[in-house]
Amino acid sequence: HPSNLQMEGSSGLRRADCRAKGGVPGFKVAILGAAGGIGQPLALLMKMNPLVSVLHLYDVVNAPGVTADVSHMDTGAVVRGFLGQPQLENALTGMDLVIIPAGVPRKPGMTRDDLFKINAGIVKTLAEGIAKCCPNAIVNLISNPVNSTVPIAAEVFKKAGTFDPKKLLGVTTLDVVRANTFVAEVLGVDPREVSVPVVGGHAGVTILPLLSQVNPPCSFTPEEINALTDRIQNGGTEVVEAKAGVGSATLSMAYAAAKFADACLRGMRGDAGIVECSFVTSQVTELPFFATKVRLGRTGVEEIFPLGPLNEYERTGLEKAKKELAGSIQKGVSFIRN
Ligand code: NAD
Ligand code: LMR
């Protein structure tokens, strides 16, 4: 495709495209929404990932510029850009992992659900492309409201007859990243040494940090638990307000998405013991989707871990989370079914 060639950022003098033919072992990864606030730094981070051999950057605007820019990095992955709906199928064909940060972000005063109107349709279109062109790819869905967009993608895949619940993952890593950071701050330790499970979903009270299960084991006062839970649940709003109308978290999100995608790729390679929190098809609660710790392997989600022992505070939080989640999930399902 001539415009794709142009967008490879190549001089046209390459002697043999051995890398693109599989000369470098690794996975083929697409980012949909690659020119956005998350997409651009995520493209940078995925170009730096040695497990990536081919990186496809798709957006409805500015994909050529981002592609030319990222393609000059002297790392292994071959970068190709794809602009606009007519190039979606080329962007997706052959991909092993598809990361989706496409869609509008919040402004102050909005909830994530306020984004449903625009983002539901975007995710539907992109999921239809995946079902058609790379039905076996693992999908990392970032676009908000995640609590509804994951059910939307699942329904699209079911309709197409391609749904594999092990391969559809809502990205909630930023909640874990924030929880690790804020807990480490309170404890006065290095955040890299802290691991906080965050379960439920990705919006307000559905974000449920399990502070009784922090690793390494530690204890908090009731005031600390209240303050930490509140800050973790409203971390996104903290950024939206600080950015004052210009958008929501992009840099910490790109970091979180790259961390999660790398875990998926290491699992796909066959590494043992890769465990991350993610919003997936689940039987941990009565809801059809729920975020918990999952084990990632060659085929995607290979094991879903139970919630573990919860204290009274967390049990109350869980009931609140489930109530809101049920509505958000149903809204996503209905968008495709009706
Ligand atoms: P942004 O507006 O900066 O970028 C979004 C990009 O998506 C733009 O480049 C836009 O052109 C592109 N886009 C729009 N429609 C598209 C389509 N049909 N196909 C392909 N690309 C399309 O927004 P952002 O800050 O990068 O945020 C993107 C989304 O991620 C938002 O919905 C935001 O709420 C969400 N988000 C989720 C998390 C999370 O933790 N899961 C964290 C932060 C942001
Ligand atoms: C976040 O948690 O930062 C994202 O979901 C973006 C938002 O709207 O808060």
Side-chain angles (χ1 to χ4, degrees), residues 112 147 198-209 229-230 232-234 290 314 316-325 328:
R112 291 179 183 80
N147 294 353
V198 183
V199 302
H202 178 68
V205 297
T206 74
I207 299 170
L208 189 63
T229 302
D230 183 68
I232 294 162
Q233 291 183 332
N234 296 302
F290 202 79
E314 292 162 350
T316 307
L318 176 63
E319 290 315 308
K320 267 195 216 156
K322 284 197 294 190
K323 206 163 164 225
E324 182 176 321
L325 255 180
S328 305

Side-chain angles (χ1 to χ4, degrees), residues 33 35-39 58-61 101-105 115 119 122 126 142-144 146 171 174 202 248-250 253:
I38 297 165
Y58 172 80
D59 205 302
V60 292
V61 295
V104 292
L115 306 171
N119 291 354
I122 293 174
L126 298 176
I142 295 168
S143 318
N144 271 318
V146 168
V171 182
L174 183 53
H202 178 68
S248 56
T250 54
M253 182 59 233

Side-chain angles (χ1 to χ4, degrees), residues 4-5 18 30 32 48 55-56 60 63 76 89 116 122 141 146 148 154 164 189-190 201 248 255 265 273 276 295 332:
N4 288 351
L5 277 179
C18 61
L32 312 183
M48 291 171 68
L55 182 61
H56 282 190
V60 292
E89 294 192 5
F116 187 99
I122 293 174
L141 192 37
V146 168
S148 302
D164 179 351
V189 300
D190 185 328
S248 56
Y255 165 80
L265 294 174
E276 295 286 336
R295 186 170 56 75

